[in-house]
Amino acid sequence: MALKELFERDWQELESGGVLFSSLEKLVAWGRSNSLWPATFGLACCAIEMMGSTDGRNDLARFGSEVFRASPRQADVMIVAGRLSKKMAPVMRRVYDQMPDPKWVISMGACASSGGMFNNYAVVQNVDSVVPVDIFVPGCPPRPEALIYAVMQLQKKVRGEAFDNYGTQLPMVDAWTR
Ligand code: SF4
């Protein structure tokens, strides 16, 4: 993106929000994006790769997201790692509802995003029908690096720095409006 466009955006922001509030909003978003805490929630084999993302080799801690919380009330990211059975869907929704706003969801692996190889009556075919998904991670299973990349993309969305293929800025993710 050209430098001129960057400044133009800042200028428009300053005009609409004022110096204090536009800067404060950015500071809060920056803080949030660097302390995304996932809920401890694994469903199947993908969860092993999710655990692998916090080991010494991959070190998710570099991005401030290594603190997997045992209580949904202390988490702001749900990583749906693995296939979701229809029996488990209401439980997962309850965990999501117990997480405080703002909150985000990463759908990890082919099973969570599309049912994967389990095209049958017992498995939810897309977790987006149960909870609103922000990032989909492809693969069976996705490697820990893919999950770390997804966390980095989510950080960009939270900070309002994500762009589509045409270079248009995507809106900042705001879970209150969901
Ligand atoms: S995507 Fe593959 S690794 Fe992940 S839960 Fe499904 S079968 Fe297991």
Side-chain angles (χ1 to χ4, degrees):
M1 174 176 285
L3 208 57
K4 184 172 168 278
E5 286 173 41
L6 269 179
F7 282 122
E8 242 174 52
R9 226 182 48 232
D10 283 345
W11 183 257
Q12 284 167 6
E13 240 175 66
L14 283 176
E15 273 191 341
S16 61
V19 177
L20 179 64
F21 288 108
S22 61
S23 307
L24 187 63
E25 193 181 41
K26 277 186 184 171
L27 183 69
V28 170
W30 173 83
R32 274 193 187 132
S33 70
N34 286 298
S35 58
L36 294 168
W37 288 2
T40 307
F41 192 78
L43 289 166
C45 12
C46 273
I48 306 296
E49 300 297 316
M50 180 177 74
M51 292 174 218
S53 67
T54 59
D55 65 15
R57 175 184 285 262
N58 297 294
D59 201 11
L60 190 59
R62 288 173 293 160
F63 306 97
S65 300
E66 81 285 10
V67 193
F68 278 75
R69 305 311 299 176
S71 165
R73 291 183 175 84
Q74 297 168 356
D76 52 8
V77 180
M78 172 178 271
I79 301 173
V80 185
R83 55 190 170 271
L84 176 66
S85 68
K86 288 192 177 161
K87 200 171 178 182
M88 190 65 181
V91 180
M92 194 186 81
R93 181 68 210 197
R94 175 169 293 190
V95 171
Y96 175 80
D97 287 340
Q98 286 177 342
M99 289 163 57
D101 283 324
K103 52 193 169 187
W104 301 277
V105 178
I106 294 175
S107 170
M108 183 181 180
C111 287
S113 303
S114 66
M117 68 182 95
F118 303 100
N119 184 12
N120 62 42
Y121 66 89
V123 173
V124 175
Q125 296 299 301
N126 182 355
V127 294
D128 199 37
S129 60
V130 182
V131 290
V133 175
D134 295 289
I135 307 275
F136 291 93
V137 187
C140 173
R143 288 181 55 85
E145 293 92 324
L147 180 62
I148 290 172
Y149 183 71
V151 170
M152 289 165 71
Q153 295 308 303
L154 184 58
Q155 285 184 319
K156 278 188 186 174
K157 281 185 89 175
V158 173
R159 286 197 296 260
E161 292 172 359
F163 296 88
D164 67 12
N165 291 338
Y166 303 102
T168 313
Q169 191 181 20
L170 299 173
M172 198 178 281
V173 179
D174 185 353
W176 284 290
T177 56
R178 288 182 184 165

